[in-house]
Amino acid sequence: MALKTDSNSYTVIFTIVMVVIVGALLAGVSSAFSEQISNNRKLEKQQNILYAMGVNKNVGELGGGKVEFIPTTEVKAEFDKYIKKQYLINDGVAKETDLINPPKIGKGYQLFVGEKDGKTLYIIPVTGKGLWDAIWGYVAVDKDMIIQGVFFDHKGETAGLGANIKERFFMDDFIGEHLLDASGVFRPIEISKTNADPENKRKEDGKIDAIAGATLTGNGVAAMLHELGDYVAIIKNLNK
């Protein structure tokens, strides 16, 4: 007996069978590549952390050139070389743990401690909300809460505008910025449209020039940098 391929029941059954087959294939592909995807994410995280602390392949003057990471073939060895400790801090108690390969990190403040050129650096993860979606990054500071480098990224900011938070001309401006005022009190960085400091020579004013046309993304960056204030006491305690 011939199948009635023009019937509604045939269409429904065919659709269900195809959904099951495609779903099974996608699940198989996802399972097959899950380990590789996970490993790539770890390598990217290590690249970003190293970039923030100035371990990268950038060439040229600050504020110019392309963002160049340590290659994935080298990043694990470089990460192990520069990152000395990883902490998860809860209620002021810092516990050493693996923040790159954890089964489950859990809640708390994450902090990477590295050494570069004989100097101890503290690399802080930050997260926030841009104009369209999530933004995040890492900020490296010294014991005096002076920024030594940053790396920012985004999920869906506008190309040529908010997406420029991950370009060197913006990120390099943060190097040398003081997060504490003259009295030692935390002062969050302001992304300012009226800073009038295009060469960013004033490092103690708490201001960075905004990206033209990206006000809301800039506000998102400033808001997520407020998280750095929570680390002042943590870093101070680690230096006792």
Side-chain angles (χ1 to χ4, degrees):
M1 184 176 69
L3 289 173
K4 295 182 178 180
T5 58
D6 58 344
S7 68
N8 289 337
S9 59
Y10 176 87
T11 301
V12 172
I13 293 171
F14 179 81
T15 301
I16 293 173
V17 170
M18 289 304 298
V19 167
V20 170
I21 292 173
V22 172
L25 288 173
L26 289 175
V29 170
S30 176
S31 177
F33 288 99
S34 61
E35 184 175 349
Q36 181 179 342
I37 292 170
S38 176
N39 187 57
N40 288 342
R41 287 174 178 167
K42 292 171 185 175
L43 294 175
E44 182 181 13
K45 188 173 183 179
Q46 290 174 325
Q47 285 179 317
N48 296 346
I49 292 167
L50 289 174
Y51 187 95
M53 63 183 297
V55 181
N56 51 56
K57 294 292 186 178
N58 286 355
V59 295
E61 299 290 330
L62 288 178
K66 294 170 57 180
V67 170
E68 299 286 355
F69 299 103
I70 296 295
T72 56
T73 54
E74 303 173 19
V75 69
K76 185 181 184 304
E78 291 295 281
F79 187 84
D80 293 340
K81 174 183 174 182
Y82 285 97
I83 298 299
K84 304 303 181 182
K85 293 183 180 180
Q86 303 173 47
Y87 290 113
L88 186 65
I89 301 103
N90 282 295
D91 298 323
V93 178
K95 179 182 179 182
E96 285 195 57
T97 188
D98 186 350
L99 300 175
I100 297 294
N101 302 288
K104 186 176 180 182
I105 294 176
K107 294 182 178 179
Y109 295 104
Q110 298 180 36
L111 181 66
F112 297 84
V113 181
E115 289 184 11
K116 180 175 178 284
D117 299 330
K119 191 174 188 178
T120 299
L121 300 180
Y122 303 89
I123 303 92
I124 304 167
V126 290
T127 58
K129 179 72 170 66
L131 171 61
W132 301 112
D133 214 315
I135 56 176
W136 61 89
Y138 295 91
V139 180
V141 300
D142 64 13
K143 64 182 180 61
D144 298 314
M145 296 298 290
I146 297 174
I147 296 177
Q148 305 299 303
V150 304
F151 176 75
F152 298 134
D153 207 343
H154 66 93
K155 185 175 182 181
E157 299 308 285
T158 306
L161 298 174
N164 284 341
I165 63 171
K166 64 182 295 183
E167 298 298 329
R168 284 188 63 187
F169 77 83
F170 182 69
M171 295 192 295
D172 286 357
D173 267 1
F174 287 82
I175 298 173
E177 287 289 330
H178 292 229
L179 290 171
L180 304 180
D181 64 18
S183 301
V185 176
F186 176 74
R187 177 189 53 204
I189 296 292
E190 177 186 346
I191 310 299
S192 173
K193 293 188 293 184
T194 58
N195 191 27
D197 183 20
E199 296 184 8
N200 195 38
K201 292 182 178 180
R202 299 192 298 269
K203 295 295 185 179
E204 299 179 9
D205 62 353
K207 294 182 180 180
I208 295 291
D209 278 354
I211 298 171
T215 299
L216 294 181
T217 305
N219 291 345
V221 171
M224 78 175 177
L225 295 182
H226 273 256
E227 298 174 22
L228 300 175
D230 296 331
Y231 285 85
V232 175
I234 291 171
I235 292 173
K236 186 175 181 180
N237 287 336
L238 289 175
N239 278 282
K240 283 183 177 178

